[in-house]
Amino acid sequence: MADRYLHLTGTAPGRFLTRRLGLPQPAPLRRWTLETPHLDGPLLHLTAGAPAITGVAEALRTSGLTVTERADRPAAIVLDATGVTTAAGLGDVHAALHPVVRSLAPGGRIVVLGTVPSSDDHHQAAAQQALEGFVRSLGKEIGRGSTVQLVRIPAAGIPGGASAHAAESTLRFLLSPRSAYVSGQVIELTAAAPDPVADPAAPLTGRTALVTGAARGIGAAVASVLARDGAQVIALDVPGAREELERTADRLGATALPLDITAPDAAGRIAAAVPDGLGILVHNAGITRDRRLANMPADRWASVVEVNLDSVLRTTDELLKAGAIPRGGRIVATASIAGIAGNTGQTNYAASKAGIIGLVRSLGPRAAADHGVTVNAVAPGFIETKMTAAVPFFIREAGRRMNSLSQGGLPVDVAEAVAWFAQPDSTAVNGQVLRVCGQSLLGA
Ligand code: NAD
């Protein structure tokens, strides 16, 4: 459903009126297009303290932006704060960003690079954890469609020394229009070496991706973005949605697989559909059956947990056990900010989505060690789909405005995050839950 308020504030009289009334001022977000794949301007590379990692400048150059140490109007600013290990050192963060933050172009990006807070050095841990509060606050105040994130790169215990090489796919995503609706996030990378990308223009070439719940909404957008990036897509949805599924699949050159993901033989049928192995598995199918707990019959509880969580656990286990997801494989599940913040009337849904977060955090490290596969999740906030169009007007408006970007996201915003997890060189991105919520106030 169209966001009329966003349209209104895009006109001169609308902007004047809403400013006078002190109402939110959402800036139109620029998403990725073939014609405009990059941000429009240079990338300002700054440091605070003596960096604890090498290769940052090289990693930044893979963003496609011109990297500079001086710029009047940067489209992006990256602050290497990996060397900040004391409370006094935080002064260098202020000294680096305070003079330039106002010059950031609208729709710009700020990425702070940090390291993992240490469990043996509480001064380093305090200074590095301080960066999280800093980034989340700057995200809330920066405005004009700009975003701010923290990327933690492990600085210790890495053979050959700590390097930003493993962060390249993450920086490419965060420093591009693809991450338009992601802000205030902390991404903690592992030390895993990235797998090579043969064709940067179509990085998923040669991989088969299966997307559940792909007939419409977010799932159809995920299928579309993965196909854009070169994957051969299998689009799965319930047999009752066959017509819509086939239309979506035809449009994308994908294969339709009408199948209820809760069927006992679902994993076997998926494995049979991918005899050469499944490179990317996206668990997107999800349902809501809202009621307050006191009014919720057992069947509404059970169906939500079955579709949103149990079938995800079962198919993941069975496909991994059968060796159907080869090394380099990617599993991406779908949580929700309801699973982080909770929501009235959604005890079943929020439990199922919080369960996804538990699954990702626990399985991620073991799947990497045992199978060479990463496991991550997206946690969408308010995304403009049929599901949210059905929400009553005032709740819908609150959902749209109660975030740092003062607007709802689009299905493609979630899809771009899934595609980042799926990249061959995202090997160091594992066990992460990325909120795609415009830095929603809920659960923040
Ligand atoms: P949607 O209802 O538009 O689409 C969900 C799809 O899943 C439908 O095509 C449906 O037929 C399919 N599906 C349902 N049960 C299935 C089953 N048993 N087997 C196979 N397919 C099944 O929903 P959406 O808004 O596109 O949401 C997609 C995912 O994102 C869901 O997991 C949802 O919980 C999550 N999410 C959405 C939002 C939002 O704002 N839209 C916010 C947070 C999380």
Side-chain angles (χ1 to χ4, degrees):
M1 183 173 286
D3 183 347
R4 294 211 178 90
Y5 183 79
L6 180 61
H7 181 72
L8 175 73
T9 53
T11 65
R15 210 162 27 242
F16 174 78
L17 182 70
T18 51
R19 267 211 189 112
R20 289 294 293 263
L21 293 171
L23 294 173
Q25 300 293 311
L29 302 182
R30 189 161 76 68
R31 269 107 180 165
W32 181 94
T33 67
L34 196 54
E35 294 72 36
T36 55
H38 299 302
L39 299 175
D40 196 12
L43 186 169
L44 181 60
H45 176 191
L46 304 173
T47 53
I53 55 169
T54 59
V56 173
E58 291 79 355
L60 293 180
R61 275 197 282 280
T62 68
S63 68
L65 301 177
T66 305
V67 182
T68 166
E69 288 175 12
R70 285 181 95 83
D72 291 338
R73 196 117 181 100
I77 302 173
V78 172
L79 175 69
D80 182 348
T82 55
V84 175
T85 55
T86 61
L90 290 167
D92 294 340
V93 173
H94 175 267
L97 286 176
H98 166 72
V100 295
V101 69
R102 241 189 224 122
S103 67
L104 184 70
R109 303 280 186 273
I110 294 184
V111 175
V112 175
L113 301 179
T115 60
V116 179
S118 161
S119 48
D120 339 297
D121 176 353
H122 54 286
H123 287 261
Q124 187 271 6
Q128 286 295 323
Q129 190 65 34
L131 296 176
E132 182 169 332
F134 171 78
V135 156
R136 292 198 200 278
S137 299
L138 188 55
K140 289 186 175 173
E141 68 185 38
I142 195 152
R144 298 191 305 164
S146 294
T147 64
V148 188
Q149 338 279 347
L150 173 63
V151 179
R152 290 186 177 140
I153 303 173
I158 299 165
S163 146
H165 183 45
E168 283 173 12
S169 80
T170 302
L171 292 168
R172 267 201 326 272
F173 170 62
L174 295 178
L175 297 169
S176 81
R178 296 174 196 235
S179 58
Y181 198 60
V182 176
S183 193
Q185 295 305 291
V186 180
I187 297 160
E188 189 166 313
L189 302 178
T190 71
D195 293 338
V197 179
D199 177 1
L204 304 181
T205 303
R207 301 204 165 198
T208 301
L210 180 121
V211 183
T212 71
R216 65 179 198 201
I218 294 172
V222 171
S224 167
V225 169
L226 296 182
R228 175 202 72 188
D229 284 356
Q232 188 56 48
V233 175
I234 300 177
L236 178 153
D237 212 299
V238 285
R242 180 190 287 263
E243 267 185 37
E244 203 175 5
L245 177 68
E246 284 175 352
R247 269 201 306 277
T248 304
D250 284 352
R251 186 163 48 81
L252 303 175
T255 307
L257 180 58
L259 174 65
D260 188 326
I261 196 65
T262 65
D265 61 347
R269 289 190 48 197
I270 292 170
V274 287
D276 297 331
L278 182 58
I280 302 160
L281 168 61
V282 183
H283 294 291
N284 162 81
I287 59 169
T288 50
R289 297 286 182 271
D290 297 356
R291 288 271 169 88
R292 284 170 186 262
L293 182 63
N295 303 325
M296 187 178 297
D299 61 329
R300 285 178 94 91
W301 176 276
S303 57
V304 167
V305 173
E306 173 62 9
V307 175
N308 297 2
L309 181 60
D310 214 7
S311 74
V312 174
L313 287 159
R314 206 168 44 241
T315 46
T316 300
D317 285 352
E318 289 181 24
L319 288 169
L320 278 175
K321 199 165 158 216
I325 306 177
R327 293 193 82 75
R330 306 278 180 253
I331 299 172
V332 185
T334 307
S336 163
I337 56 166
I340 297 169
N343 203 10
T344 304
Q346 291 201 314
T347 51
N348 51 355
Y349 182 76
S352 71
K353 295 299 187 179
I356 290 293
I357 296 173
L359 152 71
V360 161
R361 290 190 180 147
S362 169
L363 181 61
R366 277 180 294 114
D370 299 347
H371 304 279
V373 168
T374 64
V375 187
N376 294 287
V378 283
F382 184 96
I383 305 295
E384 305 279 357
T385 64
K386 269 191 183 159
M387 190 165 142
T388 48
V391 172
F393 175 78
F394 284 108
I395 299 176
R396 191 167 66 233
E397 267 308 292
R400 278 176 172 151
R401 304 304 154 217
M402 281 171 57
N403 60 72
S404 297
L405 298 169
S406 303
Q407 59 197 288
L410 301 181
V412 71
D413 298 323
V414 182
E416 295 284 12
V418 172
W420 159 60
F421 285 136
Q423 301 294 305
D425 56 348
S426 286
T427 325
V429 187
N430 192 21
Q432 300 297 294
V433 177
L434 185 84
R435 293 172 57 143
V436 183
C437 64
Q439 200 181 18
S440 170
L441 294 179
L442 300 179

